[in-house]
Amino acid sequence: MTRRDGVPRTPLGDEDGPAAATVGSHPAPEGTGHPRRRTILWALAAALLMMSTTVMAVTVALPTIARDLRATTGQLQWITEATVLALAALLITMGAIGDRYGRRRVLLAGLAVLVLAALLAAVATGPGELIAARALLGVGNAMVMPATLGIIRSVFPRDELAYALAVWAGVAGLGVVLGPMTGGLLVEHLGWRAVFLAMVPVLPAVGVAVVLVVPPTAPDRTARPDLLGMALVSGGLVAVVHAIIEAPRRGVLGEATLLGAGAAVILLGGFLARQRRTRHPMLDLRMVADHTFWPAAMAAATGFFALMGMVFLLTQYFQEVLGHSPSGAALLLLPIAAGQLAMAPITPRLIDRIGLRWTVSGGLGVLAVGLTLIPTGVHTDRHGVLLIGLFLLAAGNGAAVTAASTAMLGAAGTRQAGSVAAVIETAFKLGGSLGVAVLGGVLAGRLADHLASHTAALPAAERAFAGESISGALQSAALLGGPAGDRFTDAARQAFTAGLTHAAVLAACLALGAAVLTASTLHEPDRTHRGRR
């Protein structure tokens, strides 16, 4: 079987040549894997833990940043989403570069970029500067994340991928909570800038561990870099994420949203056309269209939609509504780490027993149950119910994402492991970005509508600021003072709680829909491979 241009095709999931199964000087055949793969996994886990910790550490500092820099909800979303924007835009490109020039080399360069970005964020004097530094953090993350997954795929055989990815997901979940916990302590005692300065000595230490433990991957010298494809996919993903971020503020049919969506369709359409015609595609489109791959990608994106969106909202809820300190708010997020870690040893056994399809769809179902418990706990002041909901949200996400990642990465050969890993990470980041934007937009709309009748007593310059975010509303209430300020504070907290409830219900409905769709469409990869061989 050949492509249109006469280049022979290889069966989906088969390896593409000797270099595809080589890591450093050690062969890593599909059946056995690399002899030091467990040690390599834990070294990569250390790098991943730093990535997820640094990304999440800023979430607990958002209220402090909002007060210090007088940032609006839109600016807070951009401080959060600038990293995601750059990350999503460059993941596939960096994955392809890692495949071409060596994944360990790209991983180490990414760690260096992260050190520079952390220094710039620490000295930022306004929201714009902080947003730019966070975007550079996204560039570094885009270099590191697909490299870690790509190396895992290169050194582990298919029958051990579920174990490796369960560890990977558990460590990522640990970072989701460790980041806010360390960030909270730093914010309380040293200020929010310390969140970024703390990264500077740690990241080089991680780099040294990678150099000592992770062998260099054999680069794929047979394929030339597709510069046009890289430009098209990066521009298209920038347009997608920009439209997602701006839609809640400008409206789904707003000019900026429609222009971004239109640009995304044109650029990504051009990328797909390019991949069909070029001799050396960045991505095998047959694999992406396979019924093993796209349902798994959709499920993973849905899991991150719910998890990241709710973490964004609950961090503010714990601090601004319940009055907890940053570190106290982080402690209340511990069930997320517990849920992710609890599923790490269980998920591979579930996959063996019930298969990938039912593990993915069942995980999404558990996630939806957790989401429904969150508003129940919020409205009844039963924090135990809320914490159980967080645990189930994380446990369901851990099972679904691990199984979905196993399906997607298992469908790939090792030669394009970096590019496929980048697609997986792109699904995660687009899902998380959508979660923050959509669920944050639901809450912001509820807050603005509910407070409209309460802002008349404020000075004109404060009215818009008061309706933009919960922190802005509470600052404006403090300016009013007296009974009027107390009423405004109560109204703001009630509006935030109502918006949080609506957001959780919406996320639960989407998770249930994704669970049903996954159960009806996801094919087991072993069945797919047998059918194609």
Side-chain angles (χ1 to χ4, degrees), residues 137-463:
L137 281 169
V139 175
N141 279 319
M143 300 171 75
V144 171
M145 288 184 170
T148 60
L149 267 182
I151 293 171
I152 287 172
R153 178 64 187 94
S154 298
V155 301
F156 277 88
R158 277 198 182 93
D159 60 359
E160 294 184 21
L161 268 182
Y163 160 78
L165 293 175
V167 171
W168 175 82
V171 169
L174 180 61
V176 167
V177 175
L178 187 61
M181 288 182 65
T182 56
L185 292 172
L186 290 169
V187 168
E188 286 182 32
H189 297 288
L190 299 173
W192 64 265
R193 298 178 192 278
V195 172
F196 298 102
L197 287 174
M199 298 166 57
V200 175
V202 177
L203 287 169
V206 173
V208 171
V210 169
V211 170
L212 293 176
V213 175
V214 179
T217 53
D220 179 10
R221 300 295 186 185
T222 63
R224 290 175 295 180
D226 183 8
L227 299 180
L228 177 58
M230 292 178 182
L232 288 171
V233 72
S234 296
L237 290 172
V238 165
V240 168
V241 177
H242 184 270
I244 290 170
I245 294 171
E246 290 298 313
R249 293 197 305 161
R250 306 292 180 89
V252 175
L253 299 179
E255 182 178 353
T257 306
L258 293 178
L259 284 174
V265 170
I266 293 170
L267 292 170
L268 293 178
F271 171 73
L272 294 176
R274 170 76 176 172
Q275 297 310 291
R276 289 178 60 85
R277 289 171 172 79
T278 184
R279 285 181 172 271
H280 303 289
M282 294 170 58
L283 200 59
D284 186 345
L285 296 184
R286 294 174 304 135
M287 179 186 61
V288 175
D290 188 82
H291 276 269
T292 295
F293 199 95
W294 73 260
M298 177 272 301
T302 302
F304 271 82
F305 175 99
L307 180 65
M308 301 309 296
M310 293 309 297
V311 167
F312 175 73
L313 300 184
L314 285 170
T315 301
Q316 298 175 70
Y317 173 77
F318 290 145
Q319 293 185 61
E320 304 289 18
V321 177
L322 299 185
H324 291 288
S325 65
S327 59
L331 286 173
L332 290 173
L333 295 175
L334 274 176
I336 293 177
Q340 292 275 135
L341 291 173
M343 294 308 298
I346 296 172
T347 302
R349 299 173 189 172
L350 282 175
I351 293 171
D352 287 341
R353 184 175 294 272
I354 64 175
L356 286 166
R357 177 173 59 173
W358 296 113
T359 304
V360 173
S361 58
L364 290 174
V366 171
L367 181 150
V369 172
L371 286 167
T372 61
L373 291 178
I374 289 173
T376 303
V378 166
H379 284 284
T380 60
D381 290 329
R382 297 167 65 183
H383 289 173
V385 175
L386 172 59
L387 297 181
I388 291 172
L390 283 176
F391 178 87
L392 293 177
L393 166 63
N397 180 72
V401 167
T402 298
S405 301
T406 301
M408 290 185 282
L409 210 52
T414 56
R415 172 170 286 185
Q416 281 198 327
S419 296
V420 174
V423 174
I424 295 172
E425 290 284 356
T426 301
F428 296 165
K429 301 312 170 188
L430 287 179
S433 179
L434 269 171
V436 171
V438 173
L439 301 185
V442 168
L443 186 142
R446 180 69 179 180
L447 191 67
D449 291 343
H450 194 77
L451 294 181
S453 61
H454 295 269
T455 56
L458 292 172
E462 288 289 330
R463 290 174 190 168

Side-chain angles (χ1 to χ4, degrees), residues 1-4 6-12 286 532:
M1 184 165 54
T2 60
R3 296 167 49 90
R4 296 184 186 181
V7 178
R9 292 187 183 273
T10 55
L12 181 64
R286 294 174 304 135
R532 293 189 180 224

Side-chain angles (χ1 to χ4, degrees), residues 26-47:
H26 298 282
E30 183 68 29
T32 60
H34 193 280
R36 291 192 291 119
R37 56 189 177 278
R38 301 293 176 100
T39 305
I40 293 169
L41 173 63
W42 289 108
L44 295 174

Side-chain angles (χ1 to χ4, degrees), residues 63-77:
T64 306
I65 291 171
R67 290 190 292 268
D68 189 19
L69 302 181
R70 289 185 64 83
T72 66
T73 293
Q75 288 171 327
L76 286 179
Q77 285 184 331

